[in-house]
Protein backbone atom coordinates (compact mmCIF):
# COMPACT_ATOMS: atom_id res chain seq x y z
CA UNK A 1 0.00 0.00 0.00
CA UNK A 2 1.12 3.54 -0.76
CA UNK A 3 0.86 6.24 1.89
CA UNK A 4 -2.21 7.66 0.13
CA UNK A 5 -3.81 4.19 0.04
CA UNK A 6 -3.17 3.75 3.77
CA UNK A 7 -4.85 7.09 4.49
CA UNK A 8 -7.78 6.26 2.24
CA UNK A 9 -8.27 2.83 3.85
CA UNK A 10 -8.01 4.25 7.37
CA UNK A 11 -10.59 6.92 6.56
CA UNK A 12 -13.35 4.47 5.66
CA UNK A 13 -12.50 1.34 7.65
CA UNK A 14 -12.99 2.66 11.20
CA UNK A 15 -9.26 2.64 11.96
CA UNK A 16 -8.55 5.23 14.66
CA UNK A 17 -4.94 6.40 14.74
CA UNK A 18 -3.29 8.39 17.51
CA UNK A 19 0.28 9.56 17.99
CA UNK A 20 1.73 9.82 21.51
CA UNK A 21 5.41 10.63 22.20
CA UNK A 22 6.55 9.26 18.87
CA UNK A 23 4.44 6.11 19.15
CA UNK A 24 1.76 5.31 16.56
CA UNK A 25 -1.26 3.62 18.10
CA UNK A 26 -4.30 2.17 16.36
CA UNK A 27 -7.74 0.98 17.38
CA UNK A 28 -9.86 -0.90 14.86
CA UNK A 29 -12.14 -3.92 14.37
CA UNK A 30 -10.04 -7.06 13.94
CA UNK A 31 -11.51 -7.75 10.51
CA UNK A 32 -9.99 -4.60 8.98
CA UNK A 33 -6.47 -5.14 10.35
CA UNK A 34 -5.19 -6.87 7.24
CA UNK A 35 -1.52 -7.80 6.77
CA UNK A 36 -1.30 -5.12 4.06
CA UNK A 37 -2.57 -2.44 6.45
CA UNK A 38 -0.20 -3.49 9.23
CA UNK A 39 2.73 -3.38 6.82
CA UNK A 40 1.62 0.07 5.67
CA UNK A 41 1.38 1.37 9.23
CA UNK A 42 4.92 0.18 9.93
CA UNK A 43 6.34 1.53 6.66
CA UNK A 44 4.77 4.99 6.94
CA UNK A 45 4.95 5.49 10.71
CA UNK A 46 6.82 8.80 10.43
CA UNK A 47 4.54 10.21 7.74
CA UNK A 48 1.47 9.15 9.71
CA UNK A 49 2.73 10.80 12.90
CA UNK A 50 3.34 14.06 11.02
CA UNK A 51 -0.11 13.77 9.45
CA UNK A 52 -1.71 13.28 12.87
CA UNK A 53 0.14 16.30 14.24
CA UNK A 54 -1.56 18.62 11.71
CA UNK A 55 -4.89 20.39 12.25
CA UNK A 56 -7.65 17.79 12.51
CA UNK A 57 -10.04 19.67 10.24
CA UNK A 58 -7.45 19.85 7.44
CA UNK A 59 -6.25 16.24 7.31
CA UNK A 60 -6.54 15.05 3.75
CA UNK A 61 -6.91 11.33 3.13
CA UNK A 62 -6.95 11.33 -0.66
CA UNK A 63 -7.51 13.54 -3.68
CA UNK A 64 -8.64 12.98 -7.24
CA UNK A 65 -9.68 14.91 -10.33
CA UNK A 66 -13.35 15.65 -10.79
CA UNK A 67 -15.45 13.31 -12.87
CA UNK A 68 -17.08 14.64 -16.03
CA UNK A 69 -20.38 14.88 -14.16
CA UNK A 70 -18.78 16.85 -11.32
CA UNK A 71 -17.08 19.19 -13.78
CA UNK A 72 -20.39 19.84 -15.51
CA UNK A 73 -22.03 20.48 -12.15
CA UNK A 74 -19.29 22.96 -11.22
CA UNK A 75 -19.97 24.77 -14.51
CA UNK A 76 -23.65 24.94 -13.54
CA UNK A 77 -22.77 26.23 -10.08
CA UNK A 78 -20.57 28.96 -11.56
CA UNK A 79 -23.20 29.84 -14.17
CA UNK A 80 -25.96 30.24 -11.57
CA UNK A 81 -23.78 32.11 -9.07
CA UNK A 82 -23.52 29.30 -6.51
CA UNK A 83 -27.29 29.03 -6.28
CA UNK A 84 -28.92 26.83 -3.66
CA UNK A 85 -30.95 25.33 -6.51
CA UNK A 86 -28.49 22.42 -6.56
CA UNK A 87 -29.24 21.53 -2.92
CA UNK A 88 -31.05 18.18 -2.64
CA UNK A 89 -33.09 18.51 0.53
CA UNK A 90 -34.92 15.73 2.36
CA UNK A 91 -37.09 15.79 5.46
CA UNK A 92 -37.49 12.48 7.26
CA UNK A 93 -40.60 12.77 9.41
CA UNK A 94 -40.20 10.31 12.29
CA UNK A 95 -43.19 9.47 14.48
CA UNK A 96 -42.79 7.13 17.44
CA UNK A 97 -40.11 6.21 19.94
CA UNK A 98 -36.96 7.67 18.37
CA UNK A 99 -33.55 6.45 19.55
CA UNK A 100 -31.65 9.73 19.17
CA UNK A 101 -28.29 8.16 20.01
CA UNK A 102 -28.79 5.50 17.31
CA UNK A 103 -29.75 8.17 14.78
CA UNK A 104 -26.67 10.22 15.69
CA UNK A 105 -24.50 7.14 15.16
CA UNK A 106 -26.22 6.31 11.86
CA UNK A 107 -25.67 9.79 10.42
CA UNK A 108 -22.04 9.73 11.55
CA UNK A 109 -21.70 6.32 9.91
CA UNK A 110 -22.75 7.85 6.57
CA UNK A 111 -19.98 10.44 6.84
CA UNK A 112 -17.41 7.81 7.73
CA UNK A 113 -18.49 5.48 4.91
CA UNK A 114 -18.80 7.82 1.93
CA UNK A 115 -16.00 10.03 0.61
CA UNK A 116 -18.40 12.28 -1.29
CA UNK A 117 -19.78 13.60 2.01
CA UNK A 118 -16.31 14.71 3.15
CA UNK A 119 -15.15 16.31 -0.10
CA UNK A 120 -13.81 19.80 -0.70
CA UNK A 121 -13.85 20.88 -4.33
CA UNK A 122 -11.42 23.44 -5.67
CA UNK A 123 -8.54 23.90 -8.08
CA UNK A 124 -4.97 22.75 -8.31
CA UNK A 125 -3.64 25.17 -10.91
CA UNK A 126 -5.95 24.92 -13.92
CA UNK A 127 -7.42 21.56 -12.87
CA UNK A 128 -10.46 21.09 -10.68
CA UNK A 129 -9.85 18.55 -7.92
CA UNK A 130 -11.66 16.95 -5.01
CA UNK A 131 -9.91 16.62 -1.66
CA UNK A 132 -11.32 14.10 0.81
CA UNK A 133 -10.76 15.07 4.44
CA UNK A 134 -10.44 12.60 7.28
CA UNK A 135 -13.61 11.69 9.11
CA UNK A 136 -14.22 13.56 12.35
CA UNK A 137 -17.26 12.64 14.46
CA UNK A 138 -19.56 15.64 14.92
CA UNK A 139 -22.60 15.45 17.24
CA UNK A 140 -25.96 15.57 15.50
CA UNK A 141 -27.29 19.15 15.78
CA UNK A 142 -30.64 19.20 17.58
CA UNK A 143 -33.28 21.93 17.44
CA UNK A 144 -35.55 21.30 20.44
CA UNK A 145 -39.03 22.79 20.03
CA UNK A 146 -40.78 20.53 22.52
CA UNK A 147 -41.37 23.35 25.04
CA UNK A 148 -43.23 25.57 22.56
CA UNK A 149 -47.02 25.91 22.46
CA UNK A 150 -48.60 23.60 19.91
CA UNK A 151 -49.71 26.48 17.66
CA UNK A 152 -46.11 27.71 17.31
CA UNK A 153 -44.32 24.39 16.90
CA UNK A 154 -45.10 23.71 13.22
CA UNK A 155 -44.25 27.22 12.09
CA UNK A 156 -40.94 27.19 13.94
CA UNK A 157 -40.16 23.67 12.69
CA UNK A 158 -40.76 24.70 9.07
CA UNK A 159 -38.45 27.70 9.54
CA UNK A 160 -35.76 25.51 11.11
CA UNK A 161 -36.07 23.07 8.21
CA UNK A 162 -35.62 25.86 5.65
CA UNK A 163 -32.60 27.16 7.57
CA UNK A 164 -30.88 23.82 6.98
CA UNK A 165 -31.90 23.33 3.35
CA UNK A 166 -31.74 26.78 1.79
CA UNK A 167 -28.20 28.17 2.31
CA UNK A 168 -25.85 27.61 -0.62
CA UNK A 169 -22.74 25.48 -0.05
CA UNK A 170 -19.22 26.85 -0.25
CA UNK A 171 -17.86 23.76 -1.97
CA UNK A 172 -14.20 24.77 -1.61
CA UNK A 173 -14.33 25.07 2.18
CA UNK A 174 -17.44 23.17 3.24
CA UNK A 175 -18.52 19.55 3.06
CA UNK A 176 -21.42 19.11 0.58
CA UNK A 177 -23.77 17.81 3.29
CA UNK A 178 -25.74 19.45 6.08
CA UNK A 179 -28.19 18.00 8.59
CA UNK A 180 -30.11 18.61 11.82
CA UNK A 181 -32.69 16.89 14.01
CA UNK A 182 -35.78 18.96 14.83
CA UNK A 183 -37.74 17.71 17.87
CA UNK A 184 -41.38 18.78 17.63
CA UNK A 185 -42.63 16.79 20.62
CA UNK A 186 -41.87 13.58 22.48
CA UNK A 187 -43.23 11.40 19.66
CA UNK A 188 -42.38 13.38 16.52
CA UNK A 189 -39.06 14.53 15.08
CA UNK A 190 -37.75 15.59 11.68
CA UNK A 191 -34.31 14.65 10.42
CA UNK A 192 -33.45 17.28 7.80
CA UNK A 193 -30.71 16.21 5.39
CA UNK A 194 -29.40 18.25 2.45
CA UNK A 195 -26.69 17.12 0.02
CA UNK A 196 -25.29 19.19 -2.84
CA UNK A 197 -26.06 17.65 -6.23
CA UNK A 198 -22.31 17.50 -6.97
CA UNK A 199 -22.10 14.72 -4.37
CA UNK A 200 -25.24 12.76 -5.21
CA UNK A 201 -27.90 11.82 -7.72
CA UNK A 202 -31.20 10.01 -7.34
CA UNK A 203 -29.53 6.62 -7.09
CA UNK A 204 -27.11 7.93 -4.45
CA UNK A 205 -30.00 9.30 -2.37
CA UNK A 206 -31.49 5.80 -2.34
CA UNK A 207 -28.10 4.41 -1.21
CA UNK A 208 -27.87 6.98 1.59
CA UNK A 209 -31.35 6.14 2.88
CA UNK A 210 -30.61 2.40 2.84
CA UNK A 211 -27.31 2.93 4.66
CA UNK A 212 -28.95 5.24 7.19
CA UNK A 213 -31.60 2.62 7.94
CA UNK A 214 -28.99 -0.15 8.29
CA UNK A 215 -26.85 1.99 10.59
CA UNK A 216 -29.82 2.97 12.75
CA UNK A 217 -31.03 -0.61 13.13
CA UNK A 218 -27.55 -1.79 14.08
CA UNK A 219 -26.91 0.99 16.60
CA UNK A 220 -30.42 0.62 18.04
CA UNK A 221 -29.71 -3.02 18.90
CA UNK A 222 -26.29 -2.31 20.41
CA UNK A 223 -24.11 -2.80 17.36
CA UNK A 224 -22.02 -0.35 15.34
CA UNK A 225 -23.46 1.99 12.74
CA UNK A 226 -20.17 2.03 10.82
CA UNK A 227 -20.16 -1.06 8.60
CA UNK A 228 -17.15 -0.37 6.43
CA UNK A 229 -16.54 1.28 3.09
CA UNK A 230 -18.59 0.65 -0.07
CA UNK A 231 -17.03 -1.19 -2.97
CA UNK A 232 -16.23 2.10 -4.73
CA UNK A 233 -16.00 5.80 -3.96
CA UNK A 234 -16.53 9.00 -5.93
CA UNK A 235 -12.74 9.45 -6.17
CA UNK A 236 -12.24 6.00 -7.66
CA UNK A 237 -14.99 6.66 -10.18
CA UNK A 238 -13.34 9.90 -11.32
CA UNK A 239 -9.99 8.14 -11.78
CA UNK A 240 -11.57 5.17 -13.58
CA UNK A 241 -13.59 7.41 -15.86
CA UNK A 242 -10.48 9.13 -17.28
CA UNK A 243 -9.30 5.85 -18.80
CA UNK A 244 -12.69 4.42 -19.73
CA UNK A 245 -12.82 5.42 -23.42
CA UNK A 246 -10.00 4.88 -25.86
CA UNK A 247 -9.82 7.25 -28.81
CA UNK A 248 -11.42 4.89 -31.40
CA UNK A 249 -14.36 4.27 -29.04
CA UNK A 250 -14.72 7.97 -28.37
CA UNK A 251 -14.74 8.82 -32.08
CA UNK A 252 -17.23 6.04 -32.89
CA UNK A 253 -19.62 7.20 -30.19
CA UNK A 254 -19.33 10.84 -31.18
CA UNK A 255 -20.25 9.79 -34.70
CA UNK A 256 -23.42 8.20 -33.34
CA UNK A 257 -24.38 11.42 -31.57
CA UNK A 258 -23.67 13.53 -34.64
CA UNK A 259 -25.98 11.30 -36.68
CA UNK A 260 -28.64 11.13 -33.96
CA UNK A 261 -28.82 14.88 -33.33
CA UNK A 262 -28.39 16.02 -36.92
CA UNK A 263 -28.22 19.67 -37.94
CA UNK A 264 -31.35 21.02 -36.27
CA UNK A 265 -31.40 23.37 -33.26
CA UNK A 266 -30.76 21.82 -29.86
CA UNK A 267 -32.89 24.36 -28.01
CA UNK A 268 -36.59 25.22 -28.08
CA UNK A 269 -38.46 28.44 -28.75
CA UNK A 270 -41.18 28.03 -26.14
CA UNK A 271 -44.02 30.52 -25.59
CA UNK A 272 -43.06 31.78 -22.15
CA UNK A 273 -45.16 34.42 -20.42
CA UNK A 274 -42.41 36.98 -20.81
CA UNK A 275 -38.86 37.52 -22.06
CA UNK A 276 -35.86 36.63 -19.97
CA UNK A 277 -35.25 39.62 -17.65
CA UNK A 278 -31.98 41.55 -17.68
CA UNK A 279 -31.65 40.86 -13.97
CA UNK A 280 -33.22 37.46 -13.24
CA UNK A 281 -34.35 36.79 -9.69
CA UNK A 282 -33.22 33.16 -9.85
CA UNK A 283 -36.48 32.06 -8.22
CA UNK A 284 -38.28 28.91 -9.28
CA UNK A 285 -41.44 27.06 -8.37
CA UNK A 286 -42.52 23.44 -8.57
CA UNK A 287 -45.94 22.22 -9.68
CA UNK A 288 -46.63 18.67 -8.49
CA UNK A 289 -49.26 16.40 -9.94
CA UNK A 290 -50.26 12.75 -10.28
CA UNK A 291 -50.89 10.89 -13.52
CA UNK A 292 -54.42 9.39 -13.26
CA UNK A 293 -54.46 5.63 -12.77
CA UNK A 294 -56.22 4.94 -16.07
CA UNK A 295 -53.53 6.91 -17.93
CA UNK A 296 -50.70 5.24 -16.00
CA UNK A 297 -52.07 1.79 -16.77
CA UNK A 298 -52.60 2.67 -20.43
CA UNK A 299 -48.99 3.88 -20.70
CA UNK A 300 -47.78 0.62 -19.16
CA UNK A 301 -49.91 -1.43 -21.55
CA UNK A 302 -48.64 0.50 -24.57
CA UNK A 303 -45.04 0.07 -23.43
CA UNK A 304 -45.54 -3.71 -23.18
CA UNK A 305 -47.24 -3.87 -26.57
CA UNK A 306 -44.41 -1.98 -28.31
CA UNK A 307 -41.56 -3.72 -26.44
CA UNK A 308 -40.63 -0.35 -24.98
CA UNK A 309 -40.54 1.25 -21.53
CA UNK A 310 -42.91 3.64 -19.78
CA UNK A 311 -40.02 6.11 -19.94
CA UNK A 312 -40.14 5.97 -23.75
CA UNK A 313 -43.94 6.35 -23.85
CA UNK A 314 -44.01 9.36 -21.52
CA UNK A 315 -40.99 10.99 -23.20
CA UNK A 316 -42.64 10.64 -26.61
CA UNK A 317 -45.74 12.39 -25.28
CA UNK A 318 -43.58 15.18 -23.84
CA UNK A 319 -41.94 15.62 -27.25
CA UNK A 320 -45.35 16.01 -28.89
CA UNK A 321 -46.37 18.65 -26.35
CA UNK A 322 -43.13 20.62 -26.78
CA UNK A 323 -43.39 20.40 -30.56
CA UNK A 324 -46.90 21.86 -30.39
CA UNK A 325 -45.82 24.62 -27.99
CA UNK A 326 -42.74 25.61 -29.98
CA UNK A 327 -43.81 24.85 -33.53
CA UNK A 328 -40.57 22.86 -33.94
CA UNK A 329 -41.06 19.31 -35.28
CA UNK A 330 -37.72 18.06 -33.90
CA UNK A 331 -37.42 18.21 -30.12
CA UNK A 332 -34.29 17.44 -28.09
CA UNK A 333 -34.88 16.36 -24.49
CA UNK A 334 -32.12 16.14 -21.89
CA UNK A 335 -32.76 12.68 -20.43
CA UNK A 336 -30.86 11.64 -17.28
CA UNK A 337 -29.47 8.08 -17.29
CA UNK A 338 -28.47 6.51 -13.96
CA UNK A 339 -25.18 5.17 -15.39
CA UNK A 340 -24.41 2.68 -12.60
CA UNK A 341 -22.06 0.44 -14.51
CA UNK A 342 -19.77 -1.35 -13.64
CA UNK A 343 -21.66 -2.97 -10.78
CA UNK A 344 -18.95 -1.96 -8.28
CA UNK A 345 -20.41 1.55 -8.38
CA UNK A 346 -23.93 0.52 -7.38
CA UNK A 347 -23.13 1.30 -3.73
CA UNK A 348 -21.25 4.52 -4.45
CA UNK A 349 -22.52 7.89 -3.29
CA UNK A 350 -21.58 10.15 -6.19
CA UNK A 351 -23.12 12.07 -9.05
CA UNK A 352 -22.85 9.56 -11.87
CA UNK A 353 -26.05 10.33 -13.76
CA UNK A 354 -25.37 11.37 -17.36
CA UNK A 355 -27.81 13.61 -19.22
CA UNK A 356 -28.26 12.17 -22.71
CA UNK A 357 -29.62 14.43 -25.47
CA UNK A 358 -32.54 12.57 -27.03
CA UNK A 359 -33.69 13.91 -30.41
CA UNK A 360 -37.33 13.00 -31.12
CA UNK A 361 -38.67 13.74 -34.58
CA UNK A 362 -42.39 14.13 -34.10
CA UNK A 363 -43.32 13.79 -37.78
CA UNK A 364 -43.93 10.06 -37.19
CA UNK A 365 -47.17 8.79 -38.68
CA UNK A 366 -48.63 7.50 -35.38
CA UNK A 367 -47.90 7.87 -31.69
CA UNK A 368 -47.01 4.17 -31.50
CA UNK A 369 -44.31 4.70 -34.13
CA UNK A 370 -43.06 7.72 -32.18
CA UNK A 371 -42.74 5.49 -29.09
CA UNK A 372 -40.70 3.02 -31.18
CA UNK A 373 -38.40 5.84 -32.31
CA UNK A 374 -38.01 7.17 -28.77
CA UNK A 375 -37.24 3.74 -27.31
CA UNK A 376 -34.63 3.07 -30.01
CA UNK A 377 -33.04 6.46 -29.33
CA UNK A 378 -32.85 5.78 -25.60
CA UNK A 379 -31.28 2.33 -26.02
CA UNK A 380 -28.79 3.58 -28.61
CA UNK A 381 -27.89 6.52 -26.39
CA UNK A 382 -27.08 4.22 -23.48
CA UNK A 383 -25.00 2.00 -25.79
CA UNK A 384 -23.04 5.10 -26.90
CA UNK A 385 -22.72 6.74 -23.49
CA UNK A 386 -20.24 9.64 -23.26
CA UNK A 387 -19.90 12.66 -20.96
CA UNK A 388 -22.57 15.17 -21.89
CA UNK A 389 -20.10 18.00 -22.53
CA UNK A 390 -18.25 15.85 -25.10
CA UNK A 391 -21.48 15.23 -26.99
CA UNK A 392 -22.44 18.88 -27.14
CA UNK A 393 -18.87 20.00 -27.72
CA UNK A 394 -18.81 18.86 -31.33
CA UNK A 395 -21.79 21.12 -32.10
CA UNK A 396 -20.49 24.26 -30.42
CA UNK A 397 -17.48 25.20 -32.52
CA UNK A 398 -13.76 24.72 -31.87
CA UNK A 399 -14.02 25.78 -28.23
CA UNK A 400 -16.58 23.03 -27.61
CA UNK A 401 -17.78 21.83 -24.22
CA UNK A 402 -20.51 23.03 -21.93
CA UNK A 403 -24.17 23.31 -22.83
CA UNK A 404 -25.89 25.06 -25.73
CA UNK A 405 -27.37 28.43 -24.87
CA UNK A 406 -31.13 28.69 -24.95
CA UNK A 407 -33.96 26.63 -23.51
CA UNK A 408 -33.59 22.89 -23.09
CA UNK A 409 -36.07 20.71 -21.26
CA UNK A 410 -34.94 18.01 -18.87
CA UNK A 411 -37.19 14.95 -18.82
CA UNK A 412 -36.37 12.65 -15.89
CA UNK A 413 -38.10 9.31 -15.38
CA UNK A 414 -36.83 8.62 -11.87
CA UNK A 415 -37.30 4.87 -11.57
CA UNK A 416 -34.00 4.50 -9.63
CA UNK A 417 -35.10 6.81 -6.78
CA UNK A 418 -36.32 4.81 -3.77
CA UNK A 419 -37.31 7.02 -0.84
CA UNK A 420 -38.82 4.27 1.28
CA UNK A 421 -37.34 4.08 4.77
CA UNK A 422 -38.19 1.59 7.50
CA UNK A 423 -36.90 2.10 11.05
CA UNK A 424 -37.82 0.04 14.14
CA UNK A 425 -40.62 1.48 16.32
CA UNK A 426 -41.08 4.43 13.96
CA UNK A 427 -43.46 5.52 11.25
CA UNK A 428 -41.39 7.30 8.63
CA UNK A 429 -42.34 9.60 5.78
CA UNK A 430 -39.64 11.00 3.49
CA UNK A 431 -40.38 14.31 1.78
CA UNK A 432 -38.23 16.27 -0.61
CA UNK A 433 -37.73 19.94 0.29
CA UNK A 434 -37.08 22.17 -2.76
CA UNK A 435 -35.22 25.44 -2.28
CA UNK A 436 -37.26 27.47 -4.80
CA UNK A 437 -34.02 28.49 -6.52
CA UNK A 438 -33.71 28.13 -10.29
CA UNK A 439 -31.59 25.31 -11.76
CA UNK A 440 -32.53 25.44 -15.41
CA UNK A 441 -35.22 26.55 -17.80
CA UNK A 442 -37.65 23.65 -17.43
CA UNK A 443 -37.26 20.40 -15.50
CA UNK A 444 -40.02 17.86 -15.96
CA UNK A 445 -39.97 14.65 -13.94
CA UNK A 446 -42.00 11.51 -13.35
CA UNK A 447 -41.50 9.35 -10.26
CA UNK A 448 -43.01 5.85 -10.53
CA UNK A 449 -44.32 4.03 -7.47
CA UNK A 450 -45.84 0.54 -7.31
CA UNK A 451 -49.37 1.96 -7.34
CA UNK A 452 -49.08 5.48 -8.80
CA UNK A 453 -47.08 7.78 -11.05
CA UNK A 454 -46.20 11.17 -9.57
CA UNK A 455 -44.95 14.11 -11.58
CA UNK A 456 -43.49 17.57 -11.19
CA UNK A 457 -42.63 20.56 -13.33
CA UNK A 458 -39.91 22.87 -12.03
CA UNK A 459 -39.94 26.24 -13.78
CA UNK A 460 -38.44 29.75 -13.46
CA UNK A 461 -40.85 32.32 -12.08
CA UNK A 462 -39.21 35.02 -14.20
CA UNK A 463 -40.51 33.35 -17.38
CA UNK A 464 -43.58 31.32 -16.48
CA UNK A 465 -46.64 31.95 -14.31
CA UNK A 466 -48.18 29.30 -12.10
CA UNK A 467 -51.28 29.36 -14.31
CA UNK A 468 -49.32 28.61 -17.48
CA UNK A 469 -47.28 25.87 -15.79
CA UNK A 470 -50.46 24.16 -14.63
CA UNK A 471 -52.00 24.50 -18.11
CA UNK A 472 -48.98 22.91 -19.78
CA UNK A 473 -49.07 20.00 -17.33
CA UNK A 474 -52.81 19.51 -17.84
CA UNK A 475 -52.32 19.48 -21.59
CA UNK A 476 -49.50 16.94 -21.23
CA UNK A 477 -51.66 14.58 -19.17
CA UNK A 478 -54.54 14.90 -21.64
CA UNK A 479 -52.21 14.32 -24.60
CA UNK A 480 -50.66 11.24 -22.94
CA UNK A 481 -54.13 9.85 -22.22
CA UNK A 482 -55.39 10.34 -25.77
CA UNK A 483 -52.22 8.98 -27.39
CA UNK A 484 -52.14 5.83 -25.24
CA UNK A 485 -55.84 5.21 -25.80
CA UNK A 486 -55.40 5.24 -29.59
CA UNK A 487 -51.69 4.88 -30.45
CA UNK A 488 -52.38 3.89 -34.06
CA UNK A 489 -54.23 7.09 -34.91
CA UNK A 490 -52.16 9.39 -37.16
CA UNK A 491 -50.65 12.33 -35.31
CA UNK A 492 -52.18 15.65 -36.37
CA UNK A 493 -50.12 18.03 -38.48
CA UNK A 494 -47.90 20.21 -36.36
CA UNK A 495 -49.15 23.72 -35.72
CA UNK A 496 -47.94 25.99 -32.96
CA UNK A 497 -50.49 25.98 -30.15
CA UNK A 498 -52.88 28.84 -31.00
CA UNK A 499 -53.70 29.67 -27.38
CA UNK A 500 -50.09 30.09 -26.19
Amino acid sequence: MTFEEVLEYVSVADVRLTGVDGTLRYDAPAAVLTPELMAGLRSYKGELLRWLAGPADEREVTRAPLSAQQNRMMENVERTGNSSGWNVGLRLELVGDLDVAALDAAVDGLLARHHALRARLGRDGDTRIQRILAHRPVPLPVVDLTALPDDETRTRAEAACRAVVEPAFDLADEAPVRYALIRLDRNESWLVLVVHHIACDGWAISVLLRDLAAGYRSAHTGGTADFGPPAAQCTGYARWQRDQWDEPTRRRRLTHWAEHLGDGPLTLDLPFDGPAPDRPTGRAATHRFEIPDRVRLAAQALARARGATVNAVTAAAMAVLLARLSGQPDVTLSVPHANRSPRAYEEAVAVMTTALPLRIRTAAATFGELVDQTAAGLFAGIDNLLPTAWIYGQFLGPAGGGMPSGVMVSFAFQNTLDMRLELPDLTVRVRDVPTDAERGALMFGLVPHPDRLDGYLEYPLDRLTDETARRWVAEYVELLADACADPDRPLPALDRHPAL
Side-chain angles (χ1 to χ4, degrees), residues 284-288 432 434 436 455-459 466 470:
T286 303
H287 172 50
R288 300 182 186 280
D432 65 310
D436 299 330
Y456 63 87
L457 173 63
E458 185 180 310
Y459 56 96
D466 295 342
R470 290 174 182 275

Side-chain angles (χ1 to χ4, degrees), residues 193-329:
L193 176 68
V194 56
V195 185
H196 195 282
H197 201 353
I198 204 165
C200 73
D201 52 21
W203 188 298
I205 289 295
S206 303
V207 171
L208 285 174
L209 292 176
R210 287 197 299 269
D211 285 358
L212 180 72
Y216 182 89
R217 288 192 293 267
S218 179
H220 182 64
T221 56
T224 176
D226 184 359
F227 43 94
Q233 298 278 9
C234 61
T235 45
Y237 175 71
R239 298 185 191 107
W240 169 82
Q241 189 186 59
R242 287 189 304 174
D243 302 321
Q244 182 181 2
W245 298 285
D246 57 34
E247 190 55 29
T249 299
R250 181 176 181 271
R251 286 198 301 268
R252 184 178 68 252
R253 294 189 177 190
L254 285 174
T255 298
H256 161 79
W257 288 110
E259 294 172 351
H260 173 70
L261 294 173
D263 299 327
L266 296 173
T267 56
L268 293 169
D269 178 21
L270 294 173
F272 287 109
D273 291 309
D278 294 334
R279 295 184 178 181
T281 64
R283 294 175 58 243
T286 303
H287 172 50
R288 300 182 186 280
F289 60 95
E290 183 176 336
I291 301 292
D293 266 356
R294 61 178 179 81
V295 181
R296 173 179 65 87
L297 295 173
Q300 292 174 349
L302 178 58
R304 287 193 299 269
R306 309 296 301 200
T309 62
V310 178
N311 186 5
V313 173
T314 52
M318 176 55 59
V320 174
L321 173 66
L322 295 173
R324 291 180 181 176
L325 292 175
S326 66
Q328 297 169 234

Side-chain angles (χ1 to χ4, degrees), residues 145-166:
L145 306 177
T146 56
L148 292 178
D150 290 345
D151 58 349
E152 292 184 28
T153 301
R154 294 279 164 181
T155 301
R156 290 281 297 276
E158 290 286 354
C161 176
R162 307 298 300 185
V164 178
V165 172
E166 288 187 345

